[in-house]
């Protein structure tokens, strides 16, 4: 195996791991700007991680080994997915054939499932509350995600993300086809659910709002740092799939030179910023919804995925 392609593979993983806190900091800062606040620094997530890694770990007496294993499993899952998707290069790297889009989705689900178990294992009532709410969302989100993958398979006749983005670049008619546009709309709604930007989500520590935050309330120190970092990496991975596979499959390195990798990194950050600003608008412009209306946007996403499949068959 050539050393340069191994280095490119490492760069892909590092781009997700090291830049995901910056993406989270950008979104948090923009949210405060929109609300006419001063907002935190773009680099505040890095300071938070540094502070948490230096703190002591406090473990509930009722917790088992699941409490310790869940953050490590979630973090490892998020480090694995960048091997499978086009992050910086538009061609498969040596370990890209370990799985397809469905495999990447299952690995992301495994990370979320580990955190869900940890919320139940802590024994705290808020942990159980957050885990049960997250399970209710997953019951509707996972079938929709599978339907989106089926639509992508029918569109490109393949489930490898590199085949999909090559097809969209080479054939503009496919890019602007109803089937592809429906898939983009369905995936965007899923993106708001998976990155906790749906109007039912909130990071406010009130039990009537909490979903994702409730599952990790009992964590502290390095374990909490791993969970937060894994959450930011998941957000960056989903943004990357949405951009580099479905909507903007341009700006990737073609030959793998150092300059090309650097340019692809800058292009990726610019594309993240665009989607981040759209998410800020969605999160702040919409009125807060009651949790039990969560099925409405997910049903719309499922309908979009079905329409994409139907449009492909017409």
């Amino acid at each position: 195996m050539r050393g340069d392609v191994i280095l490119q593979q490492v760069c892909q993983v590092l781009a997700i791991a090291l830049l995901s806190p910056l993406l989270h900091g950008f979104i948090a800062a923009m949210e405060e700007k929109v609300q006419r606040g001063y907002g935190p620094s773009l680099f505040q997530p890095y300071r938070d991680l540094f502070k948490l890694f230096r703190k002591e770990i406090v473990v509930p007496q009722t917790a088992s080994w699941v409490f310790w294993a869940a953050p490590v499993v979630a973090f490892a899952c998020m480090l694995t997915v960048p091997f499978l998707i086009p992050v910086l290069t538009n061609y498969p790297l040596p370990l890209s054939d370990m799985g397809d889009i469905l495999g990447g989705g299952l690995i992301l689900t495994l990370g979320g499932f580990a955190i869900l178990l940890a919320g139940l294992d802590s024994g705290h009532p808020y942990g159980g509350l957050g885990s049960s709410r997250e399970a209710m969302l997953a019951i509707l989100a996972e079938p929709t995600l599978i339907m989106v993958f089926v639509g992508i398979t029918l569109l490109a006749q393949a489930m490898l993300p590199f085949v999909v983005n090559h097809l969209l670049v080479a054939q503009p008619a496919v890019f602007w086809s109803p089937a592809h546009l429906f898939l983009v709309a369905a995936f965007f709604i899923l993106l708001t659910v998976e990155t906790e930007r749906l109007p039912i989500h909130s990071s406010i520590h009130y039990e009537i709002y909490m979903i994702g935050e409730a599952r990790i309330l009992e964590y502290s120190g390095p374990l909490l740092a791993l969970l937060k970092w894994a959450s930011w990496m998941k957000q960056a991975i989903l943004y990357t799939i949405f951009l580099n596979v479905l909507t903007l499959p341009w700006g990737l390195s073609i030959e793998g030179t150092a300059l090309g990798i650097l340019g692809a990194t800058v292009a990726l950050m610019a594309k993240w910023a665009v989607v981040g600003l759209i998410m800020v608008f969605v999160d702040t412009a919409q009125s807060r919804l009651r949790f039990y209306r969560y099925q409405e946007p997910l049903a719309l996403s499922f309908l979009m995925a079905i329409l994409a499949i139907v449009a492909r068959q017409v």
Side-chain angles (χ1 to χ4, degrees):
M1 189 180 297
R2 290 163 47 195
D4 57 340
V5 292
I6 296 176
L7 186 60
Q8 292 165 23
Q9 192 103 65
V10 172
C11 287
Q12 291 215 141
V13 178
L14 290 180
I16 294 293
L18 299 181
L19 297 178
S20 57
L22 183 62
L23 172 62
H24 179 77
F26 173 77
I27 294 174
M30 290 301 105
E31 282 182 335
E32 291 295 328
K33 295 289 184 185
V34 170
Q35 298 171 10
R36 299 184 179 181
Y38 289 104
S41 164
L42 293 176
F43 303 102
Q44 186 60 43
Y46 295 102
R47 296 171 186 160
D48 293 342
L49 289 178
F50 180 74
K51 181 177 65 177
L52 287 172
F53 274 118
R54 299 180 62 190
K55 285 196 170 183
E56 182 184 0
I57 298 176
V58 179
V59 180
Q61 292 182 344
T62 56
S64 68
W65 61 270
V66 174
F67 188 86
W68 290 90
V72 178
V73 171
F75 192 76
C77 288
M78 301 311 151
L79 285 178
T80 304
V81 178
F83 286 107
L84 311 177
I85 61 175
V87 179
L88 300 177
T89 64
N90 76 339
Y91 52 87
L93 292 171
L95 297 179
S96 300
D97 58 356
M98 291 193 303
D100 49 24
I101 291 182
L102 182 59
L106 291 175
I107 294 172
L108 290 176
T109 303
L110 174 62
F113 182 67
I115 301 174
L116 187 147
L117 288 181
L120 294 172
D121 184 68
S122 67
H124 194 280
Y126 285 171
L129 180 73
S131 294
S132 63
R133 288 177 172 176
E134 190 68 31
M136 292 175 70
L137 288 173
I139 287 172
L140 286 182
E142 294 303 323
T144 306
L145 187 63
I146 291 173
M147 293 306 296
V148 170
F149 289 152
V150 171
I152 292 174
T153 304
L154 293 174
L155 186 72
Q157 301 297 313
M159 293 198 70
L160 292 176
F162 295 93
V163 176
V164 179
N165 69 354
H166 277 251
L167 173 71
L168 296 176
V169 170
Q171 300 186 27
V174 175
F175 186 91
W176 294 108
S177 65
H180 176 248
L181 296 180
F182 280 132
L183 283 175
V184 170
F187 198 94
F188 180 80
I189 297 174
L190 281 176
L191 205 59
T192 63
V193 177
E194 297 291 342
T195 59
E196 301 187 359
R197 294 292 165 186
L198 208 63
I200 61 171
H201 289 93
S202 175
S203 59
I204 300 173
H205 284 190
Y206 293 149
E207 68 274 15
I208 60 172
Y209 297 126
M210 287 191 299
I211 301 178
E213 286 288 324
R215 294 174 300 167
I216 59 174
L217 273 181
E218 289 297 298
Y219 279 95
S220 60
L223 293 180
L224 180 59
L226 286 179
L227 285 171
K228 285 184 173 292
W229 200 350
S231 172
W232 299 337
M233 289 171 64
K234 180 181 180 182
Q235 177 176 253
I237 288 169
L238 290 172
Y239 279 21
T240 303
I241 295 173
F242 180 69
L243 290 163
N244 285 355
V245 178
L246 279 181
T247 54
L248 296 172
W250 298 276
L252 296 168
S253 177
I254 298 174
E255 298 180 352
T257 61
L259 189 60
I261 294 293
L262 180 61
T265 305
V266 174
L268 179 67
M269 294 172 64
K271 290 189 280 189
W272 279 355
V274 172
V275 179
L277 289 174
I278 296 173
M279 286 295 175
V280 169
F281 173 77
V282 170
D283 198 25
T284 56
Q286 288 193 341
S287 301
R288 189 64 53 190
L289 299 177
R290 293 178 60 193
F291 173 75
Y292 289 104
R293 294 183 62 182
Y294 70 91
Q295 73 275 18
E296 296 175 9
L298 286 170
L300 178 61
S301 177
F302 187 79
L303 177 63
M304 292 288 185
I306 294 293
L307 287 175
I309 295 173
V310 173
R312 183 59 181 170
Q313 303 303 317
V314 173

